[in-house]
Amino acid sequence: MIRRAVLVAALTFCAAGSARADFRLCNNTSARVSVAIAYTDGRNWLSEGWWNLRPSVCETLLRGPLAAQYYYVYAMDERGGEWKGKAFMCTRDREFRIDGREDCFARGFDRTGFFEIDTGRDAKSWTVQLTDPNAAPAQ
């Protein structure tokens, strides 16, 4: 179920420094989060989910070198909080892989706002750090 509560969150984006090229998300919150991702191959949109990440766990969402500059993420925690944005994609309550972002409701899907991640033109890998809004900065 898509929750409507808004959780203001600090999001930190950083390029991964390892030799492996992937798109990863780290759950640096104190709650389990469910994550969906969306992206385009230049012609078609694809959205997929859900990855369920325990606190302090990182997960590879896409394997291999990045194929696009922009990726889109939506996350919600088990307390009803969300990390969302204004880029609307199709989702559903259970595991999904959906082609296209148009006519979500007419096709039997939900329409969910994802936040945009600009990985830059030359990035081969990327890691999103999802954090609690009240977390103390790392020292």
Side-chain angles (χ1 to χ4, degrees):
M1 179 168 87
I2 304 302
R3 295 184 175 100
R4 303 286 183 225
V6 176
L7 179 64
V8 179
L11 298 171
T12 305
F13 309 110
C14 65
S18 68
R20 184 171 183 103
D22 294 322
F23 186 97
R24 295 172 46 86
L25 186 133
C26 295
N27 177 13
N28 295 322
T29 74
S30 59
R32 178 181 294 271
V33 296
S34 295
V35 178
I37 188 170
Y39 51 93
T40 182
D41 64 6
R43 294 184 314 253
N44 301 310
W45 284 94
L46 181 70
S47 57
E48 54 186 309
W50 297 101
W51 287 266
N52 294 300
L53 283 73
R54 295 182 320 274
S56 303
V57 169
C58 295
E59 181 76 32
T60 298
L61 305 185
L62 298 172
R63 296 197 183 281
L66 300 182
Q69 178 176 347
Y70 297 98
Y71 290 83
Y72 300 85
V73 172
Y74 172 81
M76 64 181 166
D77 69 21
E78 59 193 358
R79 298 175 189 149
E82 293 182 298
W83 291 262
K84 62 183 181 177
K86 297 180 181 179
F88 290 94
M89 309 292 172
C90 300
T91 62
R92 69 179 188 187
D93 290 347
R94 60 187 185 277
E95 186 177 332
F96 66 91
R97 183 176 172 96
I98 301 170
D99 290 320
R101 63 186 280 191
E102 301 80 26
D103 304 316
C104 297
F105 296 126
R107 296 191 294 147
F109 302 119
D110 295 317
R111 185 172 177 262
T112 305
F114 286 54
F115 64 88
E116 180 178 89
I117 298 170
D118 181 350
T119 63
R121 292 184 182 265
D122 299 322
K124 299 297 180 217
S125 60
W126 200 264
T127 299
V128 176
Q129 304 287 338
L130 195 63
T131 61
D132 281 323
N134 300 321
Q139 306 238 347

